[in-house]
Structure formats: structure tokens, C-alpha cells
Amino acid sequence: MYKRVEEEKLLRGKSTESIIAACIFIACRQENVPRTFKEICVITRVPKKEIGRCFKTLIRNFETNVSTMTSEDLMSRFCSMLKLRMEIQKTALELTIKTKELGTLAGKSPVSVAAACIYMASCLYNQPQSTKDVAQVTGVSEVTIKNSYKLLYNEKKRLLDPNKHNYENLPSP
């Protein structure tokens, strides 16, 4: 992809690092191992805005098929990084799907949804992760996690099966 960009001089004036970062971002999505812009920024030290600009131009010019990243795509990686048990990961994934169905976190980024669902699921199983730990792994601010969790908490009876989960384990927001 980078070679084609250079040959066709598609991003003249953009830094090589920005172009490479955007190519990595697209390649990860195409290979079904999506990474967030923040993750690519950390690795390449290229500002998010620059990667975004190059990404948009490349998508337009290459007419490439890049699927939208979902919170489900990120769930297993984030849970693994937090060393959470499989049952917590499964519940976080179920929460994410139910949240989308009900529109509980409509308008929130997939990363924010994943972070809030992971936090809630870890609390349900008495293996609570601090919002700080979840924030460090996901790249979402603690405030965003807390605000999203508050919305999930208010809808807990619609999101969680009372036969499977004990609401008393959930901290009030």
C-alpha cells in the first residue's frame, strides 16, 4: 500500500511517518486485527489528526474495503491485557451486544463502549478493575469510563439477566 502511495504520489507533502502510520492502520483493519488511532499514535509517534487525514485520503483514493471497528473487535485483546477470566470477557461481550441493541451508549466510540462494558463485567464477577487500569489499557479517559458506566448501571435490569448476575456486586456510580 505504501509503495502504491509513493508511486502515485497521492499524499505529496505529508510526512513519510504519517503515510506509514495510516497504511498500518488500514492493513490492521483489513487483516481483522483492528487497532485504535491512539494505539497507532503510540507506536509511530504520529499525531492522531495526521493519521486521520492520511487515512481518509487513502480510503477515498484506493476504494479499499475497510470495515468499521466495533467494540466486539477490541474486547478480547483488552480483556487479555487486563488478565481477566474468560467468563468476564464473555459477559463484557454480551453486555456490548445488548448495549448496542438497546442504544444505551449510542453515540459513544467503540473503544469507550468496550471500556465501560469491561469495567461493569469485572465488577459483576468480583474481580473489579479500577477505572485507571481500564483507562490505561483501552486509552479511554477515566471520566469517560465512569460516565458510560453510569448509563450502563441505570439500565442494568434491561442489560443483565438477574438469574445469571448479582446486581449487588456493582458499585453505584
Side-chain angles (χ1 to χ4, degrees):
M1 188 181 307
Y2 176 77
K3 186 177 176 187
R4 187 173 161 202
V5 170
E6 284 298 302
E7 287 170 357
E8 296 178 23
K9 298 189 185 335
L10 289 174
L11 293 168
R12 197 182 314 225
K14 297 288 182 196
S15 73
T16 303
E17 292 82 6
S18 300
I19 298 168
I20 290 171
C23 289
I24 291 170
F25 182 78
I26 292 169
C28 286
R29 287 226 180 145
Q30 287 175 332
E31 295 302 314
N32 293 318
V33 287
R35 298 293 183 253
T36 64
F37 275 121
K38 283 184 182 176
E39 288 174 304
I40 302 295
C41 290
V42 169
I43 293 167
T44 61
R45 295 192 189 109
V46 175
K48 182 180 170 184
K49 200 171 192 175
E50 274 304 303
I51 299 172
R53 286 181 183 147
C54 292
F55 168 73
K56 284 181 183 175
T57 304
L58 292 176
I59 293 299
R60 233 180 295 120
N61 286 305
F62 285 169
E63 296 174 10
T64 183
N65 185 20
V66 177
S67 60
T68 310
M69 183 171 34
T70 66
S71 35
E72 292 95 320
D73 296 332
L74 306 165
M75 197 62 70
S76 69
R77 189 159 41 92
F78 290 159
C79 286
S80 174
M81 292 165 81
L82 287 162
K83 296 176 178 42
L84 297 174
R85 297 187 320 257
M86 189 51 87
E87 63 186 343
I88 297 173
Q89 180 179 329
K90 188 178 177 207
T91 299
L93 188 59
E94 289 168 1
L95 255 174
T96 301
I97 293 165
K98 192 74 171 168
T99 296
K100 279 187 184 166
E101 286 173 11
L102 297 175
T104 310
L105 296 177
K108 299 276 185 202
S109 79
V111 187
S112 299
V113 172
C117 290
I118 289 169
Y119 176 71
M120 184 177 224
S122 72
C123 292
L124 279 170
Y125 285 93
N126 277 328
Q127 191 185 343
Q129 300 293 305
S130 69
T131 51
K132 183 180 181 184
D133 290 342
V134 176
Q136 282 182 322
V137 166
T138 61
V140 176
S141 77
E142 286 186 68
V143 172
T144 299
I145 294 169
K146 288 175 183 175
N147 288 339
S148 298
Y149 172 72
K150 189 185 297 185
L151 296 171
L152 293 177
Y153 184 84
N154 291 338
E155 292 290 322
K156 66 183 179 249
K157 290 182 178 160
R158 292 177 63 205
L159 292 168
L160 301 165
D161 181 354
N163 299 322
K164 285 172 66 177
H165 303 290
N166 184 359
Y167 303 143
E168 292 168 18
N169 292 341
L170 296 174
S172 79

